[in-house]
Amino acid sequence: ARELGIDSEGHDRPGELRPPAPPRGPSRSRQSSVNARVGADDFEFGRVLGEGSYSTVMLARHRATGREYAIKVLDKGHLKRNNKLATALAEKNTLVRLGAEHPGIVHLHWTFQDEWSLFFVLDLARNGELQSRISRLGSLSTECSRYYTAQLIDALDYMHSKGVIHRDLKPENLLLDDDYRLKLTDFGTGKIVNSGAERAKTWVGTAQYISPELLEVNETSKSSDLWALGCIVFQMIAGRFAFQGLSEYLTWQKIKQLEYTFPDGFDEQAKDLVSKLLVRDPGQRLGAGAPGSENDMKALRSHPFFSSINWKELWTAAAPPLE
Ligand code: ADE
């Protein structure tokens, strides 16, 4: 628990998540309601929203305010047995670093724990995963794909500017809020780097979205998120993975050989965009240059596929119909 920044009473140390508690002492011990700490009892838990290997996300209503949240519940025993406590801490640190500034990223409101579990109180994205929409609809319209791609680029740009690489971007981690706007989640594999040049080692990710550099030299950088972006744009429009073999190994072979083909009718500008993201050399992907350079995220935003996007109203204008 210590490693997680959580004190012996089972509460988080104040950290950056809430104002510091008053100093404890006999005379002040009854003042805890002034700086009330949040705990599981403050919420009424509802249905399960999603399940991961080490966690379950549940709908929860904050009793005092009536507000609804998504609470990620992590099993401490399971985390410990699998040496994943550090991963849970990394996820928390990443979420804290990302803060509440960007509308396209799930915000962490509070964390707390009890004897068995760690709890992350997150923004609720009521319309679920983009993945299930793609599955249900078969694919998304070019218009819709353009909109979600633009929102994802804006969220990635912000995240990368804060030094965070997601490393497991996929439509399961793209949630839709009440207004059908995108919210990026699951920073359990996130990595904090201090500069664009710094690279993170060790594998993470999901077979179909893994970049060639991760497979070949076991290195990721911000540009690996751009590779995944290319895979996601392809998938939204085509309704299938860009790279898919009969086994994980065969999928990886296809990725390394850049073996993918566009289906008939795939929008020409989207084709051009995808082909500039699915590039083997991470430094040559569209948007991979340092901020201010010729190939920075501005270059990505300026691609002709986005000519109809109003970037200033990206998070305030109504979302196009999901079709
Ligand atoms: N499933 C996983 N995380 C979620 C969230 N924040 N909101 C809704 N459903 C989720």
Side-chain angles (χ1 to χ4, degrees):
R2 273 262 159 252
E3 307 141 66
L4 283 161
I6 292 165
D7 71 23
S8 56
E9 283 186 331
H11 299 300
D12 262 16
R13 265 184 251 133
E16 293 160 72
L17 289 179
R18 93 182 123 240
R24 291 206 208 117
S27 61
R28 309 201 65 158
S29 60
R30 303 220 106 248
Q31 288 189 4
S32 59
S33 63
V34 174
N35 259 298
R37 291 176 181 277
V38 168
D41 292 345
D42 293 309
F43 297 88
E44 192 184 307
F45 284 80
R47 67 186 173 90
V48 171
L49 296 169
E51 254 162 317
S53 346
Y54 299 95
S55 64
T56 303
V57 179
M58 300 185 75
L59 178 67
R61 199 182 65 89
H62 186 231
R63 295 179 201 277
T65 60
R67 285 208 188 104
E68 289 188 304
Y69 296 92
I71 301 191
K72 185 168 186 167
V73 186
L74 298 105
D75 180 333
K76 286 203 275 195
H78 193 200
L79 287 173
K80 260 180 222 158
R81 282 190 297 278
N82 293 282
N83 278 322
K84 295 286 178 188
L85 274 173
T87 308
L89 173 64
E91 178 171 10
K92 176 186 160 176
N93 289 343
T94 303
L95 284 164
V96 168
R97 178 181 273 238
L98 290 172
E101 280 169 67
H102 200 281
I105 293 172
V106 161
H107 168 216
L108 178 66
H109 294 263
W110 301 282
T111 60
F112 49 85
Q113 65 174 312
D114 65 15
E115 197 182 336
W116 308 278
S117 308
L118 305 173
F119 298 85
F120 294 178
V121 183
L122 302 162
D123 279 339
L124 174 64
R126 227 178 275 272
N127 282 305
E129 297 172 1
L130 190 63
Q131 176 54 55
S132 53
R133 303 299 172 139
I134 300 174
S135 301
R136 238 178 287 165
L137 294 165
S139 62
L140 302 184
S141 67
T142 303
E143 201 48 45
C144 231
S145 304
R146 185 187 338 272
Y147 176 75
Y148 290 117
T149 304
Q151 291 203 323
L152 180 51
I153 287 171
D154 198 65
L156 282 183
D157 196 1
Y158 171 80
M159 193 185 85
H160 288 170
S161 77
K162 294 281 171 185
V164 173
I165 313 174
H166 189 288
R167 301 199 296 177
D168 197 17
L169 286 179
K170 51 182 173 180
E172 287 91 333
N173 291 335
L174 307 179
L175 304 177
L176 300 175
D177 70 9
D178 289 3
D179 301 312
Y180 288 89
R181 296 191 188 112
L182 194 111
K183 272 203 193 289
L184 183 50
T185 192
D186 202 351
F187 290 85
T189 50
K191 184 87 189 169
I192 295 174
V193 294
N194 294 319
S195 75
E198 193 169 331
R199 290 169 188 165
K201 287 238 174 192
T202 74
W203 179 83
V204 281
T206 303
Q208 288 85 358
Y209 310 88
I210 291 177
S211 57
E213 65 271 19
L214 205 62
L215 291 171
E216 285 167 356
V217 286
N218 194 24
E219 267 184 1
T220 46
S221 63
K222 292 172 184 175
S223 189
S224 309
D225 285 342
L226 295 173
W227 173 276
L229 173 69
C231 294
I232 294 168
V233 180
F234 181 102
Q235 192 185 347
M236 287 193 283
I237 298 175
R240 61 173 168 83
F241 297 124
F243 304 98
Q244 173 77 315
L246 289 172
S247 66
E248 236 172 45
Y249 176 78
L250 293 172
T251 298
W252 294 342
Q253 295 303 311
K254 290 191 172 186
I255 292 168
K256 289 195 251 183
Q257 288 151 20
L258 200 64
E259 193 186 318
Y260 74 99
T261 47
F262 293 105
D264 289 343
F266 198 100
D267 181 89
E268 288 297 326
Q269 284 169 342
K271 245 189 218 178
D272 187 79
L273 174 68
V274 170
S275 65
K276 285 172 174 158
L277 291 167
L278 298 182
V279 169
R280 284 177 42 88
D281 178 353
Q284 294 306 310
R285 289 174 201 145
L286 186 58
S293 74
E294 212 168 89
N295 185 32
D296 63 1
M297 291 295 271
K298 275 202 196 108
L300 177 53
R301 291 171 190 262
S302 303
H303 187 277
F305 183 56
F306 304 113
S307 59
S308 63
I309 291 285
N310 183 342
W311 293 93
K312 288 209 174 75
E313 286 172 15
L314 192 59
W315 300 97
T316 47
L322 194 48
E323 57 187 22

